Amino acid sequence: MEKIKIALIGAGFISDYHARGLQTLDGVEIVAVVSKNLENAQKFALKYNIKEALNDISSLVKRDDLDAVIISTPNQFHAPYAIAFLQNGKDVFLEKPMGMSGDEGRQIAEVAKKHNQLVMVGHMWRFDTDTRYIKDTVDSGTIGRVFKTKGYGIHENWGPSGWFTKKELAGGGALADMGVHAIDAVRYILGDPKPTKVYARISTEFGDYDVDDTAILVITWDNGTESLVESGWWHPHMDGPEASTSLFGTKGYANLFPTFLKMKEGEGSVTTVPELPKREDHCDQIIYTRQMEHFVDCIKTRQQPVPGLAEGQMVLDIVDAAYKSAETGEVVDLI
């Protein structure tokens, strides 16, 4: 098989992770990088020895020598760019969230299915070793039935700037940026249940922008589990690393980041810390490399990636429901 040719749409922070991951794979060539700022594209191309640096997607959309694209742009452009490439026979990897709204997600899915193209969404915690360990522990029944979870994605004494803080470009604030990770991570660990109800309180506490920097969600899943999910920027404290999830079972407790188990024993409990690979960074490069491996494998086999359309859509629908709940003060039913 000839080399799979991929273009990077966006030359920001996250694109470095994708480029590094792709360049470890055999049979893959990054043929172009696109940024609205041509100088940024040129610098990125030089850094990773990419032949072409462009400042718009128009010349790429209909090229016959391009198999797929990695879209890492402001959220506003996820759906229109994805749709343009899908309509022209290209597979698409979309950074999270898949779109600005659930409606955009459904538009992407409709076009992908019509043109028989693949879509993968960058919910990267599904490729993390610690996360998979906790999922396997839950799947095995070790901690019993999980009746409650608590998770968050929070930046302590820090927050992004630029397009992340502009509603017209991002669609939402910390919830769309950080909360989506916590939502998808717990859903993955629980075996991808469907949400039945969402209640949320969302506010802006720390910045002069038109997006949220504080959110608390309560999600009821169709397996009976209740999940508390928090997101935030600039918070004065977080309970651990910038992302963490706790799972409360009828036989014990499991914690992701830091990762450990706490099991009932007699009238007390015993804590176990598993032997897992040491993390160089909380968001290690290996997670993103595994994402690219999976995407490329799916391109070769024509199998739908996971996380893909279904997983990305579920997160969008939960976020939509959360914003609606915060506006009305009522629980939103999803079934």
Side-chain angles (χ1 to χ4, degrees):
M1 183 177 182
E2 294 184 1
K3 280 191 174 183
I4 292 174
K5 296 186 177 181
I6 296 176
L8 300 177
I9 314 302
F13 171 80
I14 201 67
S15 294
D16 282 287
Y17 285 88
H18 298 322
R20 289 192 293 262
L22 287 168
Q23 290 191 332
T24 67
L25 307 181
D26 293 331
V28 175
E29 180 183 357
I30 305 174
V31 298
V33 59
V34 182
S35 173
K36 287 200 168 184
N37 183 316
L38 183 58
E39 184 179 352
N40 288 345
Q42 291 169 337
K43 288 179 180 177
F44 194 98
L46 184 63
K47 183 177 181 180
Y48 293 103
N49 195 29
I50 299 169
K51 292 179 182 178
E52 294 183 65
L54 307 168
N55 64 355
D56 69 77
I57 69 168
S58 58
S59 63
L60 286 175
V61 168
K62 294 188 178 181
R63 273 175 51 169
D64 293 332
D65 66 339
L66 184 66
D67 299 297
V69 293
I70 313 293
I71 298 177
S72 307
T73 63
N75 302 341
Q76 181 190 45
F77 303 106
H78 285 191
Y81 285 4
I83 288 169
F85 282 107
L86 291 167
Q87 288 174 332
N88 285 277
K90 315 297 188 284
D91 296 321
V92 171
F93 177 99
L94 275 168
E95 257 308 327
K96 59 79 194 168
M98 184 166 68
M100 296 269 278
S101 66
D103 285 344
E104 285 195 352
R106 283 181 279 274
Q107 291 169 22
I108 294 168
E110 182 179 350
V111 174
K113 290 171 184 175
K114 179 180 179 181
H115 294 273
N116 198 30
Q117 296 302 136
L118 307 177
V119 176
M120 183 172 174
V121 183
H123 291 299
M124 83 287 187
W125 289 118
R126 291 174 179 250
F127 297 88
D128 177 73
T129 300
D130 288 55
T131 306
R132 287 177 168 177
Y133 168 81
I134 294 297
K135 175 175 171 53
D136 289 345
T137 299
V138 170
D139 287 348
S140 70
T142 299
I143 66 170
R145 185 181 71 82
V146 178
F147 59 90
K148 177 179 72 171
T149 77
K150 294 168 66 178
Y152 66 82
I154 291 173
H155 286 314
E156 182 179 297
N157 294 320
W158 184 84
S161 57
W163 68 265
F164 284 93
T165 61
K166 298 176 181 178
K167 189 173 183 179
E168 65 174 336
L169 294 175
L175 175 55
D177 175 34
M178 303 290 287
V180 294
H181 282 312
I183 293 168
D184 185 72
V186 75
R187 186 168 179 263
Y188 169 66
I189 292 168
L190 293 174
D192 286 322
K194 294 181 180 179
T196 62
K197 298 177 183 293
V198 175
Y199 177 74
R201 303 298 291 168
I202 301 173
S203 63
T204 303
E205 305 290 346
F206 297 99
D208 183 18
Y209 32 65
D210 61 353
V211 294
D212 54 281
D213 55 27
T214 301
I216 302 172
L217 281 62
V218 179
I219 305 167
T220 301
W221 305 103
D222 64 358
N223 63 2
T225 304
E226 301 282 349
S227 289
L228 177 68
V229 174
E230 300 180 42
S231 59
W233 300 330
W234 297 106
H235 285 204
H237 174 76
M238 56 190 179
D239 296 335
E242 68 178 14
S244 181
T245 296
S246 305
L247 301 105
F248 298 77
T250 53
K251 297 179 182 178
Y253 169 85
N255 199 83
L256 174 65
F257 308 138
T259 303
F260 64 89
L261 304 179
K262 190 175 182 180
M263 302 301 300
K264 290 183 178 180
E265 188 168 297
E267 295 182 357
S269 61
V270 175
T271 298
T272 303
V273 179
E275 292 187 9
L276 295 169
K278 185 178 179 181
R279 310 180 75 84
E280 293 181 10
D281 186 24
H282 181 63
C283 297
D284 246 341
Q285 173 64 47
I286 188 63
I287 309 171
Y288 299 95
T289 299
R290 288 171 183 157
Q291 276 192 130
M292 293 299 102
E293 287 174 346
H294 181 60
F295 184 49
V296 169
D297 284 345
C298 289
I299 293 172
K300 293 177 180 177
T301 63
R302 307 314 299 165
Q303 297 296 308
Q304 173 60 46
V306 177
L309 292 166
E311 294 76 21
Q313 186 66 52
M314 198 64 70
V315 171
L316 289 180
D317 288 345
I318 291 170
V319 170
D320 280 358
Y323 282 122
K324 182 179 179 181
S325 174
E327 183 179 337
T328 64
E330 303 292 336
V331 173
V332 174
D333 291 319
L334 289 175
I335 59 171

